Amino acid sequence: MCEGNEGSKAAEKAVEGYEAVIGLEVHVELATRTKIFCGCSTAFGGRPNAHTCPVCTGMPGALPVLNRKVLEYAVAVGLAANCTITRFSRFDRKNYFYPDNPQSYQISQLYLPICRDGYIEIELERELPSGGESDSAEETFPAEKSWNSAQKRIRIHEIHMEEDAGKLTHDEQGGCTLVDYNRAGVPLIEIVTQPDMGSAREVVAFLEKLRLIIRYLGAGDCRLQEGSMRVDVNLSVRPRGAREMGTRTEMKNLGSFHGIEMAIESERNRQTAILESGGAVIQETRRWDEEKGISHPMRSKEEARDYRYFPEPDLVPVVIGEDYLERIRAAQPEMAWEKRQRFLEEYPIPEYDIRIITASRRMSDIFEAAVVLGSPPKKVSNWLMGETLRLLKEKGQDSEEIRFSPENLAKLIALVENRVISTTVAKEVFAVLFEEDMDPVEYVEKNELKTAGNQVILRRVAEEVIASNHKSAEDYRGGKDRALGYLVGQVMKALKGKADPVQVKEQLKELL
Amino acid sequence: MDLLSLSAVELGKAIREGSTTAVEATEAVLARIEAVEDRFHCYVTVDRAGALDKARIVQRKIEEGQLNGPLAGVPMAVKDNLCTAGMRTTCGSRMLDAFVPGYTAEAVENLERAGAVLIGKTNMDEFAMGSTTETSFYGPTLNPCSPGHVPGGSSGGSAAAVAAGECFFALGSDTGGSIRQPASHCGVVGLKPTFGTVSRYGLVAYGSSLEQAGPLGRTVEDCAAVLEAMSGGETGQRRKDSTLVSREDMDFTSALRPEVKNLRIGIPRDYFGEGLDRRVKEAVLGAAEVFRKNGALVEEFDLGFTEYAVPAYYVIASAEASSNLGRFDGVKYGFRAEQARDLQQMYRQTRSRGFGTEVKRRILLGSFVLSAGYYDACYLKALRARAMIKTAFDRAFERYDCILGPVAPTAAPRVGEGLSDPVRMYLGDIYTVSANLAGLPGICVPCGTDGCGLPVGLQLVAACFQEKKLLRSAYAYECLKGAGKCPEEKNP
């Protein structure tokens, strides 16, 4: 899949002599219920043009009205990214003709963007985890237990608000192109960084941190595959240690973290090869082809459009007062890294677990609530780290979408702790809990899943098993410990797993 | 009773009192249209059946007591750039020849809620770009006072319809004088409200930061009543126009008292120099005399920056127009050139054939002033001039309640006279565009004739949100002088 990554040894050596300078433009779809300038739903799917109105289809005379929630999210992200919030901000029109753009202009911010001059600290592991990567790299973390990390500050140039465009579908059979404006007017923020990154690893670390921030704020889900996070990579190379920047290119159409890494490597190699052979890099926009692992030029600087930006006369300036800012600031949640630090101090569970749990606001909340309800922290952590992550991955769900409540998880943990059900049964119950968030106590009762804690039943079954497995019983008595395991298995089988193996073992020993 | 001789407010009263009905009034207007429309061509669309249906519904509501406002049952005409659900809205352009919107402009909706009966849509310069109503795809409207002359523009159809008795009042839009100037040429009253008073939702945009819809009527009182009904958004509804200002003082009719004593009126010397027709000047200064004689303080002053108004206006309005009219690309609605080979050709052919010359001229001008390298030199400079003009007016309003001047340099030009020289046509907007650049309310009241029987209007401009002061001054003048009626109406 990634043949573009291959290169001769000579080329690799050449790469060594150059360094990449990378800046990003990241579009993030905001999680508002309605669009940025009208009351239409932002819901995914729906019949083409079902979520449209005169405003988001650019009908004559229709006018935009700013969705306040969009501003709130943009300011919240800006504050979390240490930006200066622009007190007098404004929208501008970016004019261009294309059928996905119903008004023939996109309402965006050029002259006075809502946030400026921030930074995000990223953490870099000193050593790269070895081993291959999978396509689901987005959801997994390197299985490294020791976090020998360094911090790096990536500066944010600006964050601005804008609207998304519609979607074109080319109908091959009908020989025509159809437009769906359901996405037109969906709110976006664009985060523009300074060229502060030097490698794919730093880029991914930055994007992961940015995603973490935005998800914690509930401002967006940031899924690359679904397009709710879109990344354009600006990259140039220069001889290692040089001061001046090289000519950069902009890479578009990057659909996954893996694709971003590949595209960066590919572009860095391409530019290096050009410079090595004495050529000059052309300033242009390129399109990444993930299938083939190569990029193609889209348009050069000479072909760049003149967008004829000017202040949007249909929207009043956005004036932000101290009160407003204070209100947003006060509503900012505890961020992942703050939570991690606190968990390290408050809970006796491994740092590795804490990292994973605090990477999700929902998981952190469940963890703390369950602990408050009396569950042992390590037990809660085990359920989250084990079954929860497994089921999320299996079902392709996001940790922020976890449906079960901490109350019910705490009840389940109590059932196991009190030996009312076995861990085997608990896993089955959890699978249902994961889907339906039902009361585990009632569920266990109703479905008769209680461990045969009733000593009478256990004793009777154990006696029966010993009687019908005479040889194994004799073997055990004769000193073959392994035989006991077999008998335990038989008892468990007879009780359909509704027993605690430890108790079964004890009972058998006693009888034998 | 000769219904057509009544003002809108008088008709509303007669309907409420039961001496006539909304249906009779509508029938009278339709009969008048039948009789004279061929001569003047005020309308692009007349909806006879729809108007009568609405009149019947409104009449029932009046009788049931559900409608009791001053305009309930009164027939109105609406400029064809204000969207009307189910009724085509052409903007006087081939581009929107077949465009039937699914929504109604908020200002029109407000009036319909007040019981006004929509008769049809009036002719206009294409996309409101013009001063003569000759750039319309549907042909020119002629001045009812003298059919060899234009009615002015761009709301020429609305002004002419009021003057010819083809409606009781009409709505226009004013981006650079498009209500006041045709009102002046047709001898009717026309009011451009403070920017942010009337919702622009559903007004097909030309120069967004400059324009407001407003009333044209036979009397100042009619205009006050219509403005009162059309202003603002619907209470409790989601705001549709961000630039709409919440105002508490929109009971405009309450301000109508014939008092001018101690009213401070400023006459800008800048407006009475070269280029102003002698007869127009005499008529306007004659009006100033009426104010003075009745106790107003009238004095001349230097306003300043007048020479920047027209260029600043054409740069800003064209810039906004070039962007606003981009949506007419043949993709979603309106005219589309068929048989284009690809997207670019479809765009080019659609816009080449769909738009007329004047519209294309302004789109090109606007695209130019916004393009890289010219933005600072043209557009930003125009914004600076706009700010300076606003400051000049702010200073003037520290001393005066109203500024008095002409509406246009001359009375209505002959048909075909204006279009040959666009720059000269643009310069004709010199007295009106400043109010749009500064967002100020302005009103045109008839104040005489040019000596050849063509009406001449007087313009009063007040500070932002001072419509009441403006209306009171205009009303007082009208009372003291006697409403200037159209010559044609005097001798039917």
Side-chain angles (χ1 to χ4, degrees):
Chain A
M1 190 174 140
C2 42
E3 66 217 24
N5 237 359
E6 285 171 21
S8 67
K9 284 210 171 139
E12 265 173 44
K13 206 175 171 197
V15 168
E16 287 295 302
Y18 290 86
E19 61 180 3
V21 178
I22 307 170
L24 302 176
E25 291 169 26
V26 186
H27 283 90
V28 171
E29 222 174 81
L30 297 179
T32 55
R33 253 183 342 98
T34 55
K35 293 186 179 180
I36 183 167
F37 299 124
C38 64
C40 290
S41 166
T42 54
F44 245 105
R47 266 183 310 107
N49 299 307
H51 304 308
T52 60
C53 73
V55 177
C56 57
T57 51
M59 297 299 278
L63 294 173
V65 177
L66 178 63
N67 179 343
R68 285 176 202 189
K69 200 72 194 166
V70 172
L71 179 65
E72 228 174 278
Y73 281 148
V75 170
V77 173
L79 288 174
N82 307 295
C83 291
T84 305
I85 307 300
T86 311
R87 297 311 187 90
F88 184 92
S89 164
R90 224 170 32 194
F91 285 93
D92 300 292
R93 287 188 188 176
K94 178 181 182 179
N95 296 286
Y96 65 94
F97 286 98
Y98 201 62
D100 68 358
N101 169 12
Q103 303 156 126
S104 83
Y105 53 84
Q106 179 196 32
I107 304 179
S108 180
Q109 296 193 293
L110 177 72
Y111 297 109
L112 295 167
I114 186 69
C115 312
R116 281 205 265 230
D117 301 330
Y119 63 87
I120 286 177
E121 303 268 9
I122 57 169
E123 267 176 70
L124 297 163
E125 298 125 42
R126 287 200 201 281
E127 278 164 78
L128 266 176
S130 56
E133 284 167 85
S134 69
D135 272 338
S136 60
E138 205 185 332
E139 302 297 340
T140 56
F141 285 76
E144 208 181 351
K145 301 262 176 182
S146 105
W147 297 88
N148 182 12
S149 59
Q151 296 233 317
K152 182 171 178 180
R153 182 172 285 196
I154 308 298
R155 290 169 303 156
I156 306 286
H157 175 248
E158 66 167 67
I159 301 177
H160 63 254
M161 303 176 274
E162 62 185 29
E163 57 180 340
D164 205 349
K167 206 181 134 200
L168 299 187
T169 315
H170 301 283
D171 178 358
E172 300 294 342
Q173 280 183 323
C176 63
T177 301
L178 302 166
V179 198
D180 177 3
Y181 291 121
N182 281 349
R183 304 315 293 161
V186 166
L188 303 174
I189 48 173
E190 181 174 347
I191 299 113
V192 183
T193 76
Q194 298 284 5
D196 285 353
M197 284 153 281
S199 66
R201 197 161 62 96
E202 291 184 5
V203 167
V204 170
F206 173 81
L207 291 170
E208 279 178 343
K209 184 71 177 276
L210 179 67
R211 186 177 63 172
L212 193 60
I213 290 171
I214 292 171
R215 285 189 181 192
Y216 251 70
L217 293 169
D221 61 14
C222 298
R223 294 186 207 194
L224 278 165
Q225 269 94 344
E226 288 174 17
S228 59
M229 185 187 226
R230 286 164 239 166
V231 182
D232 298 339
V233 174
N234 288 303
L235 185 148
S236 63
V237 296
R238 61 182 171 192
R240 202 167 281 284
R243 284 200 146 194
E244 272 186 28
M245 299 251 209
T247 304
R248 71 187 153 86
T249 61
E250 181 178 350
M251 188 73 71
K252 287 186 178 289
N253 195 42
L254 302 164
S256 67
F257 279 0
H258 182 56
I260 291 169
E261 288 177 326
M262 280 170 59
I264 289 173
E265 285 315 311
S266 156
E267 183 59 12
R268 175 200 184 122
N269 292 342
R270 192 187 69 87
Q271 290 189 18
T272 305
I274 291 173
L275 296 185
E276 272 293 287
S277 64
V281 174
I282 303 165
Q283 186 174 340
E284 64 187 355
T285 304
R286 301 179 67 85
R287 190 175 194 281
W288 177 247
D289 183 335
E290 184 141 9
E291 290 275 298
K292 298 203 176 104
I294 48 170
S295 65
H296 300 285
M298 270 172 81
R299 56 172 179 263
S300 72
K301 192 189 173 192
E302 283 71 33
E303 295 166 276
R305 296 154 164 171
D306 181 353
Y307 290 115
R308 293 178 286 119
Y309 276 99
F310 75 105
E312 165 58 281
D314 288 333
L315 289 165
V316 287
V318 177
V319 182
I320 292 185
E322 198 54 49
D323 291 359
Y324 181 86
L325 216 50
E326 212 31 67
R327 200 157 51 75
I328 305 284
R329 209 174 269 138
Q332 296 283 83
E334 182 185 28
M335 284 296 178
W337 51 95
E338 296 162 341
K339 221 182 258 294
R340 187 200 303 158
Q341 202 50 48
R342 185 168 60 77
F343 278 22
L344 278 172
E345 287 160 20
E346 292 181 10
Y347 302 109
I349 57 171
E351 185 182 350
Y352 177 74
D353 291 18
I354 288 176
R355 278 188 177 265
I356 304 261
I357 290 169
T358 55
S360 155
R361 188 174 168 187
R362 175 91 181 125
M363 281 226 263
S364 311
D365 290 348
I366 291 174
F367 174 81
E368 288 210 279
V371 170
V372 167
L373 290 165
S375 302
K378 183 60 189 158
K379 299 286 175 194
V380 183
S381 161
N382 286 348
W383 278 109
L384 293 173
M385 301 284 296
E387 285 303 282
T388 305
L389 286 182
R390 188 181 67 75
L391 287 169
L392 283 173
K393 195 173 177 190
E394 187 181 300
K395 297 179 193 300
Q397 286 174 0
D398 191 294
S399 56
E400 300 301 330
E401 291 173 318
I402 293 175
R403 278 191 287 254
F404 63 80
S405 63
E407 289 77 15
N408 287 334
L409 178 62
K411 281 182 185 176
L412 180 67
I413 290 171
L415 288 173
V416 180
E417 289 296 291
N418 299 332
R419 306 206 164 187
V420 178
I421 57 173
S422 68
T423 48
T424 321
V425 170
K427 280 185 184 175
E428 285 170 32
V429 176
F430 182 80
V432 183
L433 182 69
F434 184 86
E435 287 296 315
E436 296 168 20
D437 190 32
M438 78 306 171
D439 183 334
V441 176
E442 283 173 21
Y443 183 84
V444 163
E445 196 69 49
K446 209 172 78 193
N447 293 283
E448 298 170 2
L449 294 173
K450 277 195 188 175
T451 304
N454 185 331
Q455 293 297 323
V456 183
I457 298 174
L458 180 57
R459 192 185 177 92
R460 184 165 48 74
V461 174
E463 282 169 356
E464 280 169 20
V465 166
I466 291 170
S468 53
N469 292 280
H470 192 70
K471 183 159 185 326
S472 297
E474 283 309 312
D475 285 353
Y476 176 72
R477 289 193 186 103
K480 286 188 181 172
D481 278 356
R482 223 189 294 158
L484 185 62
Y486 175 75
L487 292 170
V488 170
Q490 291 303 303
V491 174
M492 292 299 286
K493 196 175 163 191
L495 289 166
K496 298 196 174 91
K498 286 186 263 178
D500 181 350
V502 181
Q503 275 186 39
V504 172
K505 207 170 181 176
E506 292 307 311
Q507 182 66 61
L508 283 166
K509 274 186 184 169
E510 190 190 315
L511 289 171
L512 291 166
Chain B
M1 182 167 33
D2 177 14
L3 290 180
L4 294 178
S5 68
L6 301 178
S7 73
V9 170
E10 287 165 351
L11 174 69
K13 190 159 173 272
I15 293 172
R16 282 198 307 285
E17 288 170 350
S19 52
T20 187
T21 66
V23 181
E24 277 174 14
T26 303
E27 281 168 345
V29 162
L30 289 173
R32 176 73 177 167
I33 291 171
E34 188 78 34
V36 303
E37 174 63 6
D38 277 356
R39 280 159 63 202
F40 307 137
H41 188 226
C42 302
Y43 286 91
V44 173
T45 305
V46 176
D47 181 18
R48 288 163 199 283
L52 286 168
D53 282 348
K54 269 179 221 148
R56 279 188 276 271
I57 294 166
V58 166
Q59 182 60 33
R60 202 178 61 232
K61 285 187 177 169
I62 293 168
E63 284 162 16
E64 287 169 355
Q66 291 177 49
L67 276 174
N68 53 17
L71 298 172
V74 178
M76 67 168 168
V78 169
K79 188 177 182 179
D80 214 13
N81 61 350
L82 285 153
C83 290
T84 42
M87 193 186 292
R88 77 176 177 150
T89 299
T90 68
C91 292
S93 179
R94 178 184 193 186
M95 191 61 93
L96 291 179
D97 184 40
F99 176 64
V100 179
Y103 47 96
T104 298
E106 201 167 20
V108 178
E109 228 173 22
N110 290 344
L111 277 164
E112 291 196 310
R113 211 176 312 114
V117 175
L118 176 62
I119 298 290
K121 307 294 291 290
T122 55
N123 199 17
M124 56 185 282
D125 281 301
E126 187 179 5
F127 285 105
M129 298 177 191
S131 315
T132 63
T133 316
E134 291 172 294
T135 70
S136 169
F137 175 62
Y138 302 95
T141 294
L142 302 179
N143 193 324
C145 304
S146 172
H149 293 79
V150 300
S154 64
S155 311
S158 290
V162 172
E166 294 187 59
C167 63
F168 282 85
F169 69 89
L171 300 191
S173 67
D174 193 316
T175 312
S178 281
I179 287 176
R180 290 160 289 158
Q181 187 255 29
S184 177
H185 287 350
C186 293
V188 301
V189 182
L191 190 158
K192 180 241 158 219
T194 307
F195 187 81
T197 300
V198 175
S199 168
R200 289 185 295 118
Y201 190 90
L203 167 66
V204 181
Y206 153 33
S208 311
S209 73
L210 300 155
E211 62 208 8
Q212 280 283 286
L216 292 108
R218 286 179 208 168
T219 65
V220 173
E221 188 186 22
D222 282 2
C223 287
V226 175
L227 182 64
E228 194 168 304
M230 75 193 285
S231 297
E234 193 181 343
T235 9
Q237 294 297 303
R238 187 178 192 273
R239 183 186 280 254
K240 288 180 173 175
D241 173 358
S242 310
T243 60
L244 201 57
V245 177
S246 303
R247 291 182 64 173
E248 309 259 297
D249 62 336
M250 298 200 294
D251 53 334
F252 302 118
T253 45
S254 70
L256 303 178
R257 290 192 304 275
E259 298 163 10
V260 297
K261 220 173 176 56
N262 298 327
L263 190 72
R264 298 164 304 166
I265 291 181
I267 300 179
R269 269 184 216 105
D270 332 38
Y271 284 4
F272 290 84
E274 219 176 306
L276 180 64
D277 182 272
R278 187 175 55 82
R279 306 285 190 125
V280 173
K281 183 175 172 177
E282 281 167 12
V284 172
L285 291 177
E289 247 341 271
V290 173
F291 279 104
R292 196 198 310 271
K293 272 189 202 149
N294 287 282
L297 299 158
V298 181
E299 66 178 38
E300 292 185 5
F301 76 107
D302 293 312
L303 177 63
F305 302 113
T306 316
E307 67 271 35
Y308 300 118
V310 169
Y313 168 80
Y314 276 95
V315 167
I316 293 167
S318 303
E320 292 179 4
S322 72
S323 172
N324 284 329
L325 271 62
R327 71 189 65 210
F328 305 112
D329 57 5
V331 172
K332 305 161 294 280
Y333 46 76
F335 176 73
R336 175 193 289 182
E338 298 299 337
Q339 281 135 13
R341 277 189 317 259
D342 54 33
L343 183 66
Q344 289 309 317
Q345 197 183 48
M346 194 277 282
Y347 282 150
R348 210 174 302 127
Q349 291 183 356
T350 296
R351 291 168 66 81
S352 296
R353 293 183 208 156
F355 290 134
T357 309
E358 185 58 31
V359 172
K360 281 185 242 178
R361 190 187 342 263
R362 294 196 197 185
I363 290 175
L364 288 173
L365 175 61
S367 303
F368 178 80
V369 300
L370 288 179
S371 55
Y374 297 96
Y375 182 85
D376 291 8
C378 300
Y379 183 75
L380 280 188
K381 217 172 245 180
L383 287 190
R384 246 172 275 143
R386 181 180 194 169
M388 272 153 52
I389 289 164
K390 175 131 183 51
T391 310
F393 274 95
D394 287 346
R395 267 204 311 271
F397 289 121
E398 285 168 12
R399 289 160 62 195
Y400 307 113
D401 296 307
C402 284
I403 290 173
L404 183 153
V407 175
T410 64
R414 294 198 155 275
V415 174
E417 210 175 60
L419 287 189
S420 53
D421 184 352
V423 174
R424 208 181 123 209
M425 184 170 83
Y426 295 171
L427 288 172
D429 298 337
I430 181 155
Y431 310 121
T432 47
V433 291
S434 306
N436 302 83
L437 289 168
L440 309 167
I443 193 167
C444 162
V445 191
C447 68
T449 60
D450 72 338
C452 308
L454 285 170
V456 171
L458 150 80
Q459 177 172 227
L460 293 166
V461 174
C464 280
F465 308 113
Q466 295 300 326
E467 271 88 353
K468 284 188 176 176
K469 242 181 221 176
L470 187 73
L471 284 161
R472 182 185 304 162
S473 310
Y475 180 72
Y477 171 75
E478 194 183 54
C479 292
L480 296 167
K481 198 242 171 202
K485 291 224 171 174
C486 195
E488 223 235 3
E489 282 211 319
K490 275 181 187 158
N491 318 299

